[in-house]
């Protein structure tokens, strides 16, 4: 049984990423389920996708059972931390998404504060500089691919980055293949460049 | 071949495998992808349409089923209210081809006005209801529903909930569409005309078949009774999946009745459970349907088993169930100690509140802002409707004072005005909602000589549910080009006082249009027309000049997610900005300009 929770803010591409992980597992003959946030909550709200690989009846990951948390936004990673197992891994995008409510009250969400908290609480944290990778690849839309790359490289999944790559490319149009391959590889490298915090 | 299918996709693929020939519906979360998947996988043998509303959809599907075709109509739970008139008649009339009414319920509610339990509708209309526990079961159930519908000559409801509709599973689905003779044939017969005499006979039949059907469904594969001991659990829908996982986790094996057909209720296994258990805990979302059915059986069969659930305060009466909630309830019931649900760490940094909001660049923001500016210093009441634009209620726009149901954006203000409220009454309805049930509201206002301003927020798509076409777009779900129905021509034909078509992103013109309309009497219409940002590519982006005066007007008044404060000055997040330019028109110091072409 492997549980993977993806979280972020509506519009960041969590759904595609969760489908890719589930599909990659299926292609190895495993049973997979996902559950996604679709609808009203997508409009800038918190979104969560559950991916469950193995024998389970229900689609939602129980608290304390996620092997890996892939967070598209550092504040959302903190919010979803109760889902993570004691020895679970967090892959987190560096940049905070400012909430409109914060702009109105003048409070700014501090991404570094969130990441420092994660590092203090979690054994393994992989920080992905999504902005930098998107800049290098030439599109803001490859954030999900970069995070997938980091997750694939973390060794939590029973599948190789190559298997993830194959499924991802199957789902994407030809013209964006190269930029996604680049993002996947740059994501994978985050483990070396940003370092995996291990206590 | 095994495929990763979303519950809604599985239902569509199952319906096609069952030989469905006509599919109609109206978009509504969480049901929308069912019809979309049929359209996407259609090899041309299935007729599929987005109807103008659920009532039209239900009647189209009923007609197809009269002619012997297998038909399916799709909607969300509140949509069923809009078509309860035909449903409460087609149950009496009956069908020849199988008719499946797919209604998605939304516990929470997550994306709906209300929680509503469609299982009641099945009992009310006396037509069978199937309630799947997983997407893979939904795939099988839709096929069983068609079989049962044809066997009985009656419509059948398939009722998934959000966690079935929007979760995916590996499913071994047929990859082909079942091909049959396409041509339906309508045989003239008095049975197709509803009349008191016919209804009298039909009502007797609907009532008397209930116990027979309960016997038949008691042996339906989805209705199961397992386990042993003097304690029992009765469950259905996704709660049955949570219960299964929890019992595995707790290594417990009490008696478990899983109900796949809440109406007619599978009496035989239920009686078996009740006779052998001293206490039964009911686990279900929305209303106590299983619980009430068991209480009813206990009374009828004189069984003294204690039934626990919503009515006894043992389970939640609103909102979704979850693994944690059921673990606590089942643990208490079985006397097994379970871990407490994790709480957010008190020492964690403060988290952002993220309510859903209008997207950056959304033309609705500009429309609401213009109306608000035009009404400054005047007493005005804003009545909203169902769609993305319901989000106009949030700060800082605060332009939705009432919201009720589809179409009410144009009719509630009429009642406010008739009650003697002396404000200027302004109603907002989206383009898809206008065709769904907004037009009747306009006719009502014109006919009854009501004073109001009716605003159509035309973003040229059904945005909230994921961009479905509608009669104003000129495209159908079969991919055909259709006649575009002009909203302004419809309004003019209804003899309203005035019709103004304005681009809301031209702030000065938009404010002026509202001011002019406010000076007139009768039904004054404004069509704010600008496409949804999700269907057009942004041409430019805006940027704030370095010498921003830090007045924060753009931030305080617009609430655009692309705008935020950094050291007191406004900044624009380029990845979110669509270049709508509203902020530039609002800035009193001309500090916001085009920041480069994409």
């Amino acid at each position: 049984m492997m549980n993977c929770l993806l979280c972020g803010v509506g519009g960041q591409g969590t759904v595609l990423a969760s489908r890719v992980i589930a599909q990659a597992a299926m292609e190895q003959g495993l049973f997979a389920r996902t559950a996604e946030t679709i609808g009203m909550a997508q409009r800038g709200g918190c979104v969560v996708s559950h991916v469950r690989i193995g024998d389970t009846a229900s689609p939602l990951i129980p608290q304390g059972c996620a092997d890996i948390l892939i967070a598209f936004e550092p504040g959302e990673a903190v919010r979803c931390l109760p889902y993570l197992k004691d020895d679970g891994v967090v892959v987190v995008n560096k940049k905070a998404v400012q909430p409109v409510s914060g702009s109105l009250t003048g409070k700014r969400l501090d991404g570094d504060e969130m990441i420092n908290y994660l590092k203090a609480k979690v054994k393994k944290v992989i920080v992905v500089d999504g902005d930098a990778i998107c800049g290098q690849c030439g599109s803001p839309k490859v954030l999900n691919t970069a995070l997938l790359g980091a997750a694939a490289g973390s060794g939590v999944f029973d599948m190789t980055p190559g298997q993830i790559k194959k499924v991802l490319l199957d789902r994407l149009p030809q013209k964006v293949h190269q930029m996604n391959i680049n993002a996947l590889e740059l994501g994978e490298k985050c483990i070396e460049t940003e370092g995996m915090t291990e206590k | 071949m095994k495929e990763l299918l979303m519950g809604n996709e599985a239902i569509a693929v199952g319906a096609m495998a069952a030989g469905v020939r006509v599919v109609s519906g109206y978009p509504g979360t969480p049901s929308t992808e069912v019809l979309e998947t049929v359209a996407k996988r259609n090899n041309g043998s299935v007729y599929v349409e987005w109807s103008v509303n659920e009532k039209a959809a239900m009647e189209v599907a009923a007609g197809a089923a009269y002619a012997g075709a297998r038909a399916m109509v799709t909607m969300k739970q509140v949509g069923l209210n809009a078509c309860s008139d035909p449903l409460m008649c087609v149950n009496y009339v009956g069908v020849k081809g199988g008719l499946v009414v797919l209604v998605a319920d939304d516990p929470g509610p997550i994306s709906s006005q209300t929680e509503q339990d469609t299982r009641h509708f099945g009992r009310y209309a006396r037509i069978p209801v199937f309630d799947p526990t997983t997407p893979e079961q939904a795939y099988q159930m839709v096929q069983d529903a068609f079989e049962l519908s044809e066997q009985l000559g009656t419509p059948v409801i398939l009722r998934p909930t959000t966690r079935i509709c929007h979760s995916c599973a590996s499913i071994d689905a047929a990859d082909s569409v079942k091909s049959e003779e396409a041509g339906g044939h309508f045989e003239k017969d008095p049975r197709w005309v509803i009349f008191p005499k016919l209804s009298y006979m039909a009502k007797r039949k609907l009532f008397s078949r209930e116990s027979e059907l309960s016997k038949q469904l008691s042996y339906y594969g989805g209705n199961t009774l397992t386990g042993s001991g003097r304690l029992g659990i009765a469950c259905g829908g996704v709660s049955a999946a949570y219960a299964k996982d929890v019992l595995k986790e707790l290594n417990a094996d009490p008696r478990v009745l899983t109900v796949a057909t809440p109406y007619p209720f599978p009496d035989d296994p239920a009686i078996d459970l009740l006779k052998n258990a001293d206490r039964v805990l009911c686990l279900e979302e929305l209303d106590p349907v299983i619980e009430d059915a068991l209480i009813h059986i206990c009374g009828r069969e004189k069984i003294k088993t204690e039934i626990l659930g919503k009515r006894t305060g043992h389970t939640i009466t609103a909102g979704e169930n979850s693994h944690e909630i059921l673990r606590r309830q089942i643990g208490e019931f079985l006397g097994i100690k379970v871990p407490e649900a994790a709480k957010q760490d008190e020492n964690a940094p403060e988290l952002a509140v993220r309510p859903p909001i209008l997207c950056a660049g959304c033309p609705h923001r500009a429309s609401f802002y213009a109306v608000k500016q035009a009404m400054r210093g005047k007493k005005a009441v804003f009545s909203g409707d169902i769609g993305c634009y319901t989000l106009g209620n949030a700060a800082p726009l605060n332009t939705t004072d009432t919201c009720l149901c589809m179409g009410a954006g144009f009719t509630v203000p009429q009642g406010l005005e008739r009650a003697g409220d002396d404000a200027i009454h302004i109603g907002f309805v989206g383009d898809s909602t206008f065709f769904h049930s907004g037009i009747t509201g306009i006719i009502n206002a014109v006919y009854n000589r009501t004073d109001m301003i009716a605003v159509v927020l035309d973003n040229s798509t059904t945005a909230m549910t994921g961009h479905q076409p509608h009669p104003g777009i000129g495209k159908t779900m079969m991919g055909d080009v259709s006649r575009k129905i002009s909203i302004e021509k419809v309004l003019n034909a209804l003899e309203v006082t005035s019709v103004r078509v304005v681009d809301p992103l031209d702030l000065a013109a938009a404010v002026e249009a509202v001011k002019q309309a406010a000076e007139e009497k009768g039904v004054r219409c404004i069509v704010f027309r600008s496409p949804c940002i999700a269907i057009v590519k942004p041409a430019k982006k805006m940027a704030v000049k370095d010498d921003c005066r830090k007045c924060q007007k753009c931030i305080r008044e617009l609430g655009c997610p692309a705008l935020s404060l950094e050291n007191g000055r406004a900044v624009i997040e380029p990845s979110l900005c669509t270049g709508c330019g509203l902020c530039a028109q609002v800035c009193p110091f001309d500090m916001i300009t085009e920041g480069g072409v994409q």
Side-chain angles (χ1 to χ4, degrees):
Chain A
M1 186 76 221
M2 208 287 300
N3 289 310
C4 169
L5 193 81
L6 299 97
C7 64
V9 177
Q12 284 189 309
T14 50
V15 172
L16 175 71
S18 65
R19 298 281 172 86
V20 166
I21 295 167
Q23 183 79 37
M26 270 179 64
E27 293 195 359
Q28 293 172 81
L30 301 166
F31 186 87
R33 287 190 191 283
T34 74
E36 286 126 4
T37 317
I38 296 169
M40 178 82 131
Q42 275 179 294
R43 304 278 182 274
C46 312
V47 292
V48 176
S49 285
H50 302 246
V51 183
R52 314 195 72 186
I53 299 164
D55 180 27
T56 159
S58 72
L60 302 183
I61 300 170
Q63 288 178 343
C65 291
D67 297 273
I68 181 167
L69 175 61
I70 305 177
F72 287 54
E73 205 277 340
E76 295 311 306
V78 174
R79 198 192 305 276
C80 288
L81 212 50
Y83 284 96
L84 195 70
K85 265 186 184 166
D86 284 346
D87 56 349
V89 174
V90 173
V91 173
V92 58
N93 181 28
K94 201 170 180 175
K95 188 179 178 183
V97 175
Q98 296 304 324
V100 168
S101 56
S103 294
L104 292 172
T105 57
K107 261 186 209 157
R108 215 173 153 75
L109 186 63
D110 184 351
D112 292 340
E113 185 192 359
M114 299 292 164
I115 285 172
N116 289 337
Y117 174 79
L118 290 170
K119 284 180 174 171
K121 283 273 164 188
V122 180
K123 264 188 193 161
K124 287 186 182 179
V125 180
I126 303 170
V127 180
V128 176
D129 190 344
D131 260 9
I133 294 178
C134 289
Q136 272 175 275
C137 299
S139 166
K141 290 186 177 163
V142 298
L143 171 64
N144 50 8
T145 303
L147 291 164
L148 270 179
S154 73
V156 174
F157 299 135
D158 288 329
M159 50 193 137
T160 63
Q163 284 165 324
I164 298 245
K165 180 164 107 184
K166 182 191 162 290
V167 174
L168 180 70
L169 297 186
D170 280 350
R171 286 184 171 247
L172 292 171
Q174 186 81 39
K175 63 175 182 180
V176 299
H177 277 192
Q178 194 53 50
M179 71 167 67
N180 277 281
I181 292 170
N182 295 346
L184 205 63
E185 285 169 359
L186 288 167
E188 222 185 305
K189 278 186 195 148
C190 286
I191 296 160
E192 299 149 31
T193 54
E194 289 283 341
M196 190 190 287
T197 316
E198 260 192 80
K199 280 196 295 204
Chain B
M1 195 194 88
K2 282 226 177 206
E3 242 188 297
L4 184 70
L5 289 179
M6 194 202 266
N8 281 343
E9 294 171 327
I11 291 165
V13 174
M16 291 170 97
V20 72
R21 283 289 159 271
V22 173
V23 181
S24 52
Y26 187 79
T29 311
S31 72
T32 313
E33 298 84 1
V34 175
L35 191 143
E36 286 182 325
T37 304
V38 175
K40 206 188 302 174
R41 298 194 176 215
N42 196 358
N43 62 6
S45 65
V46 185
Y47 172 75
V48 45
E49 72 168 40
W50 282 128
S51 307
V52 72
N53 59 31
E54 292 86 353
K55 178 167 156 35
M58 176 76 78
E59 292 154 356
V60 167
Y66 287 179
R70 284 195 166 183
M72 178 163 72
V73 53
T74 76
M75 68 200 72
K76 69 184 297 177
Q77 89 285 27
V78 284
L80 185 58
N81 302 329
C83 64
S84 62
D85 193 2
L87 180 72
M88 297 308 290
C89 295
V90 75
N91 57 344
Y92 277 56
V93 171
V95 290
K96 186 175 157 197
L99 173 60
V100 172
V101 181
L102 182 281
V103 188
D105 280 357
D106 182 18
I110 301 174
S111 300
S112 307
Q113 305 99 291
T114 64
E115 274 200 337
Q116 183 178 304
D117 198 321
T118 296
R119 294 176 298 172
H120 289 307
F121 252 106
R123 198 168 51 177
Y124 183 32
R126 297 190 185 282
I127 58 175
V129 182
F130 285 88
D131 184 12
T133 289
T134 60
E136 55 272 31
Q137 193 184 30
Y139 169 75
Q140 183 56 48
M141 264 188 184
V142 68
Q143 302 177 62
D144 300 339
F146 274 112
E147 287 298 325
L148 185 65
S149 172
E150 246 159 53
Q151 177 213 321
L152 300 172
T154 202
V156 170
I157 292 174
L158 175 61
R159 194 261 341 206
T161 54
T162 308
R163 295 298 175 187
I164 309 300
C165 295
H166 286 169
S167 67
C168 297
S170 327
I171 296 176
D172 213 346
D175 51 5
S176 64
V177 178
K178 188 175 167 190
S179 290
E180 276 176 3
E181 287 294 307
H185 172 65
F186 178 68
E187 273 174 49
K188 293 191 181 187
D189 187 296
R191 69 176 277 210
W192 304 119
V193 183
I194 196 158
F195 255 113
K197 173 78 180 158
L198 182 144
S199 294
Y200 171 78
M201 303 297 290
K203 172 92 188 284
R204 287 173 44 150
K205 192 177 132 199
L206 286 177
F207 200 87
S208 65
R209 82 174 177 201
E210 192 177 79
S211 55
E212 223 171 282
L213 252 180
S214 164
K215 272 262 178 277
Q216 181 186 333
L217 291 172
S218 285
Y219 301 95
Y220 175 65
N223 292 320
T224 56
L225 180 61
T226 57
S228 58
R230 301 302 297 174
L231 293 175
I233 285 171
C235 52
V238 73
S239 301
Y242 298 135
K244 192 175 169 189
D245 283 349
V246 168
L247 290 172
K248 196 167 136 192
E249 182 188 334
L250 302 181
N251 204 12
D253 186 27
R255 289 181 197 273
V256 177
L257 173 70
T258 306
V259 179
T261 59
Y263 180 86
F265 204 75
D267 283 358
D268 289 4
I271 292 169
D272 189 350
L273 169 76
L274 294 169
K275 283 192 170 161
N276 288 294
D278 302 324
R279 307 173 84 206
V280 173
L281 176 68
C282 301
L283 301 170
E284 59 194 315
E285 287 175 325
L286 304 172
D287 290 347
V289 170
I290 294 173
E291 186 178 338
D292 286 357
L294 294 182
I295 292 170
H296 177 90
I297 293 172
C298 281
R300 194 185 65 205
E301 305 289 327
K302 301 185 178 62
I303 303 171
K304 282 191 175 160
T305 301
E306 198 182 349
I307 310 296
L308 311 179
K310 297 176 195 279
R311 296 201 184 277
T312 55
H314 287 84
T315 57
I316 57 173
T317 51
E320 278 194 294
N321 276 337
S322 67
H323 186 94
E324 289 76 18
I325 291 173
L326 262 62
R327 184 170 59 186
R328 180 175 54 75
Q329 293 166 351
I330 293 174
E332 264 172 32
F333 179 66
L334 299 179
I336 300 172
K337 207 169 157 42
V338 298
E340 288 274 313
K343 286 198 189 79
Q344 197 75 48
D345 177 10
E346 278 172 20
N347 301 318
E350 194 186 338
L351 294 174
V353 184
R354 296 190 193 275
I357 40 165
L358 293 171
C359 302
C362 175
H364 296 330
R365 177 178 291 104
S367 301
F368 285 128
Y369 186 72
V371 172
K372 219 175 141 182
Q373 289 306 107
M375 288 297 110
R376 215 161 46 175
K378 293 194 169 76
K379 197 178 160 193
V381 177
F382 309 117
S383 289
D385 212 299
I386 308 296
C388 289
Y389 53 98
T390 311
L391 300 174
N393 74 324
L397 292 169
N398 300 317
T399 35
T400 305
D401 299 318
T402 81
C403 178
L404 187 66
C405 64
M406 293 286 283
F410 282 169
T411 36
V412 162
Q414 298 174 36
L416 297 175
E417 201 252 355
R418 291 301 174 193
D421 186 281
D422 61 354
I424 298 172
H425 291 284
I426 307 184
F428 296 90
V429 156
D431 43 347
S432 187
T433 309
F434 176 77
F435 292 107
H436 179 283
S437 48
I439 296 173
T440 44
I442 296 288
I443 297 175
N444 194 61
V446 173
Y447 169 55
N448 291 302
R449 302 168 55 89
T450 308
D451 274 327
M452 70 174 291
I453 297 177
V455 178
V456 183
L457 300 169
D458 180 5
N459 61 357
S460 302
T461 188
T462 316
M464 180 55 99
T465 45
H467 310 290
Q468 291 73 30
H470 62 62
I473 300 212
K475 254 188 287 174
T476 72
M477 217 40 191
M478 292 297 280
D480 300 329
V481 174
S482 152
R483 211 184 169 86
K484 260 192 199 178
I485 299 175
S486 155
I487 294 172
E488 50 271 37
K489 278 188 187 165
V490 170
L491 291 170
N492 277 315
L494 298 180
E495 314 235 347
V496 298
T497 305
S498 59
V499 179
R500 292 178 173 81
V501 182
V502 196
D503 178 356
L505 297 176
D506 181 347
L507 182 60
V511 172
E512 186 54 29
V514 181
K515 280 185 175 165
Q516 284 175 9
E519 296 301 315
E520 299 166 354
K521 287 278 165 206
V523 182
R524 299 89 83 190
C525 299
I526 298 168
V527 180
F528 279 131
R529 180 167 294 144
S530 180
C532 172
I533 55 116
I535 57 172
V536 286
K537 231 182 143 79
K540 56 183 197 280
K541 294 196 180 300
M542 309 306 290
V544 185
K545 287 184 194 164
D546 290 340
D547 40 355
C548 165
R549 305 279 177 84
K550 302 185 176 180
C551 74
Q552 302 182 9
K553 186 179 185 208
C554 55
I555 289 184
R556 273 186 290 109
E557 297 195 354
L558 298 180
C560 173
L563 279 165
S564 67
L565 276 182
E566 216 172 78
N567 303 324
R569 65 185 286 274
V571 287
I572 293 174
E573 168 57 45
S575 67
L576 293 175
C577 180
T578 67
C580 79
L582 182 65
C583 53
Q585 296 172 74
V586 167
C587 177
F589 304 107
D590 288 331
M591 284 296 142
I592 304 178
T593 54
E594 280 185 34
V597 177
Q598 227 199 3

